[in-house]
Amino acid sequence: MTEEMIEEFSAQKALLHILAVLYNTPVESKSLDALKMITETGLPELDALVQHAKNSNLLDIQKDWTKIFRGISLSYGPKPPYEELFSTNTMAAIAARYAKHGFVSAIDNRVDYIGVELEYLSTLSDYEEFSTFAASCKIWFSKYAEAAGEQISTEFCKALIKATIEILDI
């Protein structure tokens, strides 16, 4: 890898870590304030997420985040973003992949939750492994995004999903 590629890889992992935090912890004013400090990234969907963080009502985001990303009830919101629900991978296979790389999430959550998977991606140092897993995540998460689609009411949550797909696609 060239030095430029290494820098891009490191930047992508840093962005994935930020997104992992947004999925793994309920959105609070502190996390929105941190997002607001980001200047242009050159990634349109991530820049849109930052703009929506600046222009959205915190309570509306919190309600939508809970409905869209936590799977409260099948009668209220979409299925949650768990890989096992949108792919043929099992939680056991995902846990084995993490164990192989010595990964343990800092958050107590299902191993196939998008936030945990993004957190895992942000820790990988092997580019080939990273690329393979990112492509796999993009496939199942795109299915989730399509299923969640019309049930999302805030521009912030829509932008979070679009930014996730954009960064997984790099």
Short mmCIF file of all heavy atoms in Angstrom, two decimals, residues 86-121:
data_model
loop_
_atom_site.label_atom_id
_atom_site.label_comp_id
_atom_site.label_asym_id
_atom_site.label_seq_id
_atom_site.Cartn_x
_atom_site.Cartn_y
_atom_site.Cartn_z
N PHE A 86 -30.77 -10.09 8.03
CA PHE A 86 -30.70 -9.64 6.64
C PHE A 86 -29.65 -10.37 5.81
O PHE A 86 -29.33 -9.95 4.70
CB PHE A 86 -30.43 -8.12 6.60
CG PHE A 86 -31.56 -7.32 7.18
CD1 PHE A 86 -31.56 -6.93 8.51
CD2 PHE A 86 -32.66 -6.97 6.41
CE1 PHE A 86 -32.61 -6.21 9.06
CE2 PHE A 86 -33.72 -6.25 6.94
CZ PHE A 86 -33.70 -5.87 8.27
N SER A 87 -29.10 -11.46 6.36
CA SER A 87 -28.13 -12.25 5.61
C SER A 87 -28.22 -13.70 6.08
O SER A 87 -29.01 -14.04 6.96
CB SER A 87 -26.70 -11.72 5.83
OG SER A 87 -26.18 -12.15 7.06
N THR A 88 -27.38 -14.54 5.53
CA THR A 88 -27.37 -15.94 5.94
C THR A 88 -26.35 -16.21 7.05
O THR A 88 -26.25 -17.32 7.54
CB THR A 88 -27.05 -16.86 4.74
OG1 THR A 88 -25.79 -16.47 4.19
CG2 THR A 88 -28.14 -16.75 3.68
N ASN A 89 -25.59 -15.18 7.45
CA ASN A 89 -24.62 -15.36 8.53
C ASN A 89 -25.33 -15.52 9.87
O ASN A 89 -26.33 -14.85 10.13
CB ASN A 89 -23.65 -14.17 8.60
CG ASN A 89 -22.70 -14.15 7.45
OD1 ASN A 89 -22.38 -15.19 6.88
ND2 ASN A 89 -22.23 -12.98 7.08
N THR A 90 -24.78 -16.37 10.70
CA THR A 90 -25.34 -16.57 12.04
C THR A 90 -24.54 -15.77 13.06
O THR A 90 -23.40 -15.38 12.81
CB THR A 90 -25.28 -18.06 12.44
OG1 THR A 90 -23.90 -18.44 12.52
CG2 THR A 90 -26.03 -18.92 11.43
N MET A 91 -25.15 -15.56 14.21
CA MET A 91 -24.44 -14.86 15.28
C MET A 91 -23.20 -15.64 15.69
O MET A 91 -22.16 -15.05 16.01
CB MET A 91 -25.37 -14.59 16.46
CG MET A 91 -26.32 -13.46 16.15
SD MET A 91 -27.43 -12.91 17.46
CE MET A 91 -26.57 -13.09 18.96
N ALA A 92 -23.27 -16.97 15.67
CA ALA A 92 -22.12 -17.79 16.05
C ALA A 92 -20.95 -17.57 15.07
O ALA A 92 -19.79 -17.46 15.49
CB ALA A 92 -22.50 -19.27 16.08
N ALA A 93 -21.26 -17.49 13.78
CA ALA A 93 -20.21 -17.27 12.78
C ALA A 93 -19.59 -15.88 12.94
O ALA A 93 -18.37 -15.71 12.81
CB ALA A 93 -20.78 -17.43 11.37
N ILE A 94 -20.42 -14.90 13.24
CA ILE A 94 -19.93 -13.53 13.43
C ILE A 94 -19.05 -13.47 14.68
O ILE A 94 -17.96 -12.89 14.66
CB ILE A 94 -21.11 -12.54 13.51
CG1 ILE A 94 -21.86 -12.52 12.17
CG2 ILE A 94 -20.63 -11.14 13.87
CD1 ILE A 94 -23.23 -11.91 12.24
N ALA A 95 -19.51 -14.08 15.76
CA ALA A 95 -18.73 -14.11 17.00
C ALA A 95 -17.39 -14.81 16.78
O ALA A 95 -16.35 -14.38 17.32
CB ALA A 95 -19.52 -14.80 18.11
N ALA A 96 -17.38 -15.89 15.98
CA ALA A 96 -16.14 -16.60 15.68
C ALA A 96 -15.17 -15.70 14.91
O ALA A 96 -13.96 -15.71 15.15
CB ALA A 96 -16.43 -17.88 14.90
N ARG A 97 -15.70 -14.92 13.98
CA ARG A 97 -14.86 -13.97 13.22
C ARG A 97 -14.22 -12.97 14.17
O ARG A 97 -13.03 -12.68 14.07
CB ARG A 97 -15.71 -13.25 12.18
CG ARG A 97 -14.92 -12.26 11.34
CD ARG A 97 -15.79 -11.41 10.40
NE ARG A 97 -16.81 -12.15 9.69
CZ ARG A 97 -18.09 -11.78 9.64
NH1 ARG A 97 -18.50 -10.69 10.26
NH2 ARG A 97 -18.97 -12.48 8.97
N TYR A 98 -15.00 -12.44 15.09
CA TYR A 98 -14.46 -11.48 16.06
C TYR A 98 -13.37 -12.13 16.92
O TYR A 98 -12.32 -11.55 17.15
CB TYR A 98 -15.56 -10.95 16.97
CG TYR A 98 -16.62 -10.10 16.31
CD1 TYR A 98 -17.79 -9.81 16.99
CD2 TYR A 98 -16.48 -9.59 15.02
CE1 TYR A 98 -18.78 -9.02 16.42
CE2 TYR A 98 -17.47 -8.82 14.44
CZ TYR A 98 -18.61 -8.53 15.15
OH TYR A 98 -19.59 -7.76 14.57
N ALA A 99 -13.66 -13.34 17.40
CA ALA A 99 -12.71 -14.05 18.27
C ALA A 99 -11.39 -14.29 17.54
O ALA A 99 -10.31 -14.17 18.14
CB ALA A 99 -13.31 -15.36 18.75
N LYS A 100 -11.47 -14.62 16.26
CA LYS A 100 -10.27 -14.87 15.46
C LYS A 100 -9.34 -13.66 15.47
O LYS A 100 -8.12 -13.79 15.42
CB LYS A 100 -10.69 -15.20 14.02
CG LYS A 100 -9.55 -15.38 13.05
CD LYS A 100 -10.10 -15.67 11.66
CE LYS A 100 -8.99 -15.56 10.62
NZ LYS A 100 -9.53 -15.61 9.26
N HIS A 101 -9.91 -12.47 15.55
CA HIS A 101 -9.13 -11.23 15.53
C HIS A 101 -8.98 -10.61 16.92
O HIS A 101 -8.46 -9.50 17.05
CB HIS A 101 -9.76 -10.22 14.57
CG HIS A 101 -9.68 -10.66 13.15
ND1 HIS A 101 -8.56 -10.50 12.39
CD2 HIS A 101 -10.57 -11.30 12.36
CE1 HIS A 101 -8.75 -11.00 11.18
NE2 HIS A 101 -9.98 -11.50 11.15
N GLY A 102 -9.45 -11.33 17.95
CA GLY A 102 -9.31 -10.83 19.31
C GLY A 102 -10.17 -9.62 19.62
O GLY A 102 -9.90 -8.87 20.55
N PHE A 103 -11.25 -9.47 18.87
CA PHE A 103 -12.12 -8.30 19.06
C PHE A 103 -13.18 -8.58 20.12
O PHE A 103 -13.87 -9.61 20.09
CB PHE A 103 -12.81 -7.93 17.75
CG PHE A 103 -13.87 -6.87 17.91
CD1 PHE A 103 -13.53 -5.55 18.11
CD2 PHE A 103 -15.22 -7.21 17.86
CE1 PHE A 103 -14.50 -4.57 18.26
CE2 PHE A 103 -16.20 -6.24 18.02
CZ PHE A 103 -15.85 -4.92 18.21
N VAL A 104 -13.32 -7.64 21.05
CA VAL A 104 -14.40 -7.65 22.02
C VAL A 104 -14.98 -6.24 22.02
O VAL A 104 -14.25 -5.26 22.21
CB VAL A 104 -13.91 -8.02 23.44
CG1 VAL A 104 -15.04 -7.94 24.44
CG2 VAL A 104 -13.26 -9.38 23.44
N SER A 105 -16.26 -6.12 21.79
CA SER A 105 -16.90 -4.81 21.72
C SER A 105 -16.86 -4.11 23.07
O SER A 105 -16.99 -4.74 24.12
CB SER A 105 -18.35 -4.96 21.26
OG SER A 105 -18.99 -3.70 21.26
N ALA A 106 -16.71 -2.80 23.01
CA ALA A 106 -16.76 -1.99 24.22
C ALA A 106 -18.19 -1.83 24.72
O ALA A 106 -18.42 -1.43 25.85
CB ALA A 106 -16.14 -0.62 23.94
N ILE A 107 -19.15 -2.17 23.87
CA ILE A 107 -20.57 -2.02 24.17
C ILE A 107 -21.21 -3.40 24.32
O ILE A 107 -20.93 -4.31 23.53
CB ILE A 107 -21.30 -1.26 23.04
CG1 ILE A 107 -20.67 0.11 22.82
CG2 ILE A 107 -22.79 -1.15 23.26
CD1 ILE A 107 -20.83 1.07 23.97
N ASP A 108 -22.07 -3.55 25.30
CA ASP A 108 -22.80 -4.81 25.48
C ASP A 108 -23.99 -4.79 24.53
O ASP A 108 -25.00 -4.17 24.81
CB ASP A 108 -23.25 -4.95 26.94
CG ASP A 108 -23.96 -6.27 27.20
OD1 ASP A 108 -23.72 -7.24 26.45
OD2 ASP A 108 -24.75 -6.34 28.15
N ASN A 109 -23.81 -5.45 23.38
CA ASN A 109 -24.83 -5.45 22.36
C ASN A 109 -24.74 -6.76 21.59
O ASN A 109 -23.76 -7.49 21.72
CB ASN A 109 -24.59 -4.27 21.40
CG ASN A 109 -25.86 -3.66 20.88
OD1 ASN A 109 -26.88 -4.33 20.76
ND2 ASN A 109 -25.80 -2.38 20.57
N ARG A 110 -25.72 -7.06 20.78
CA ARG A 110 -25.64 -8.25 19.93
C ARG A 110 -24.44 -8.13 19.00
O ARG A 110 -24.16 -7.04 18.49
CB ARG A 110 -26.91 -8.38 19.08
CG ARG A 110 -28.10 -8.92 19.82
CD ARG A 110 -29.33 -8.97 18.93
NE ARG A 110 -29.12 -9.73 17.69
CZ ARG A 110 -30.02 -10.57 17.16
NH1 ARG A 110 -31.17 -10.76 17.77
NH2 ARG A 110 -29.77 -11.19 16.04
N VAL A 111 -23.77 -9.23 18.75
CA VAL A 111 -22.57 -9.21 17.91
C VAL A 111 -22.89 -8.85 16.46
O VAL A 111 -22.01 -8.37 15.74
CB VAL A 111 -21.80 -10.54 17.95
CG1 VAL A 111 -21.29 -10.83 19.35
CG2 VAL A 111 -22.63 -11.70 17.42
N ASP A 112 -24.13 -9.04 16.03
CA ASP A 112 -24.47 -8.76 14.64
C ASP A 112 -25.15 -7.40 14.45
O ASP A 112 -25.62 -7.07 13.37
CB ASP A 112 -25.35 -9.86 14.07
CG ASP A 112 -26.71 -9.98 14.74
OD1 ASP A 112 -26.86 -9.57 15.92
OD2 ASP A 112 -27.64 -10.50 14.10
N TYR A 113 -25.15 -6.56 15.49
CA TYR A 113 -25.73 -5.21 15.39
C TYR A 113 -24.79 -4.33 14.56
O TYR A 113 -23.57 -4.41 14.68
CB TYR A 113 -25.91 -4.63 16.80
CG TYR A 113 -26.50 -3.24 16.81
CD1 TYR A 113 -27.78 -3.01 16.31
CD2 TYR A 113 -25.80 -2.16 17.31
CE1 TYR A 113 -28.34 -1.74 16.31
CE2 TYR A 113 -26.34 -0.88 17.33
CZ TYR A 113 -27.61 -0.68 16.82
OH TYR A 113 -28.16 0.58 16.83
N ILE A 114 -25.33 -3.48 13.73
CA ILE A 114 -24.52 -2.65 12.83
C ILE A 114 -23.47 -1.85 13.59
O ILE A 114 -22.34 -1.71 13.13
CB ILE A 114 -25.39 -1.73 11.92
CG1 ILE A 114 -24.51 -1.01 10.88
CG2 ILE A 114 -26.19 -0.74 12.75
CD1 ILE A 114 -23.79 -1.88 9.90
N GLY A 115 -23.80 -1.32 14.74
CA GLY A 115 -22.82 -0.54 15.50
C GLY A 115 -21.62 -1.36 15.93
O GLY A 115 -20.48 -0.90 15.88
N VAL A 116 -21.86 -2.60 16.34
CA VAL A 116 -20.77 -3.49 16.74
C VAL A 116 -19.94 -3.87 15.52
O VAL A 116 -18.70 -3.90 15.56
CB VAL A 116 -21.30 -4.73 17.48
CG1 VAL A 116 -20.18 -5.72 17.77
CG2 VAL A 116 -22.01 -4.32 18.76
N GLU A 117 -20.60 -4.13 14.41
CA GLU A 117 -19.87 -4.49 13.20
C GLU A 117 -19.00 -3.32 12.70
O GLU A 117 -17.87 -3.53 12.26
CB GLU A 117 -20.82 -4.98 12.11
CG GLU A 117 -21.46 -6.29 12.53
CD GLU A 117 -22.04 -7.11 11.39
OE1 GLU A 117 -21.95 -6.68 10.22
OE2 GLU A 117 -22.57 -8.19 11.67
N LEU A 118 -19.51 -2.10 12.80
CA LEU A 118 -18.71 -0.94 12.41
C LEU A 118 -17.54 -0.74 13.38
O LEU A 118 -16.43 -0.39 12.96
CB LEU A 118 -19.57 0.32 12.36
CG LEU A 118 -20.69 0.33 11.32
CD1 LEU A 118 -21.52 1.60 11.44
CD2 LEU A 118 -20.16 0.16 9.92
N GLU A 119 -17.80 -0.98 14.65
CA GLU A 119 -16.73 -0.90 15.65
C GLU A 119 -15.63 -1.91 15.32
O GLU A 119 -14.43 -1.59 15.35
CB GLU A 119 -17.31 -1.16 17.04
CG GLU A 119 -16.30 -1.11 18.17
CD GLU A 119 -16.91 -1.52 19.51
OE1 GLU A 119 -18.11 -1.86 19.58
OE2 GLU A 119 -16.15 -1.52 20.49
N TYR A 120 -16.02 -3.14 14.99
CA TYR A 120 -15.07 -4.18 14.60
C TYR A 120 -14.26 -3.75 13.37
O TYR A 120 -13.03 -3.84 13.35
CB TYR A 120 -15.82 -5.49 14.32
CG TYR A 120 -15.01 -6.56 13.65
CD1 TYR A 120 -14.00 -7.23 14.34
CD2 TYR A 120 -15.25 -6.92 12.34
CE1 TYR A 120 -13.24 -8.22 13.72
CE2 TYR A 120 -14.50 -7.91 11.71
CZ TYR A 120 -13.51 -8.56 12.41
OH TYR A 120 -12.77 -9.54 11.79
N LEU A 121 -14.94 -3.26 12.36
CA LEU A 121 -14.26 -2.80 11.15
C LEU A 121 -13.22 -1.72 11.47
O LEU A 121 -12.13 -1.71 10.89
CB LEU A 121 -15.27 -2.22 10.15
CG LEU A 121 -15.86 -3.17 9.14
CD1 LEU A 121 -17.01 -2.50 8.41
CD2 LEU A 121 -14.82 -3.66 8.16
#
